[in-house]
Amino acid sequence: CPVSLLEAMSSGLLIIASDIPGVRDILKSFPDSMFPAGNVEGLYQKISLLLQDYKQENRNNYRLRVEQFYSIHREVDQHQSIYEKCLNR
């Protein structure tokens, strides 16, 4: 997963990202933060919207999503589970 996106979210930065696999998984609760990959006009629209309709609550919700689904403890547990499944085959 895109670690830089998780770091930005947990830091409370505003997010605009291309709608691509991985990013889409992380931002599925924030569709207004994504634009179609390669679509310059879509990027422009998202930036314009963000500048007009800045909401502090979005920044807080980004952080909550990272804490809930991407904490280091959860990531370690998930990786350990995958390794154990591979070793048991």
Side-chain angles (χ1 to χ4, degrees):
C1 80
V3 175
S4 59
L5 176 59
L6 296 174
E7 290 172 345
M9 291 172 71
S10 65
S11 297
L13 296 175
L14 296 171
I15 305 296
I16 299 174
S18 296
D19 184 3
I20 59 173
V23 170
R24 184 181 309 124
D25 296 334
I26 294 170
L27 292 178
K28 64 184 167 192
S29 297
F30 308 100
D32 289 340
S33 295
M34 293 184 286
F35 65 95
N39 184 328
V40 175
E41 181 63 28
L43 173 59
Y44 171 79
Q45 290 174 356
K46 292 298 177 180
I47 292 171
S48 297
L49 178 66
L50 185 69
L51 292 174
Q52 293 172 11
D53 191 27
Y54 167 80
K55 294 180 182 172
Q56 179 66 37
E57 68 186 71
N58 285 348
R59 294 171 67 176
N60 295 335
N61 289 336
Y62 291 151
R63 173 173 274 178
L64 291 174
R65 180 152 180 86
V66 171
E67 289 172 357
Q68 183 177 7
F69 294 103
Y70 300 98
S71 72
I72 188 66
H73 300 293
R74 184 177 175 136
E75 291 291 318
V76 168
D77 289 344
Q78 288 176 340
H79 280 84
Q80 183 175 352
S81 175
I82 291 169
Y83 292 145
E84 288 173 355
K85 286 178 184 176
C86 289
L87 292 172
N88 288 330
R89 290 189 176 175

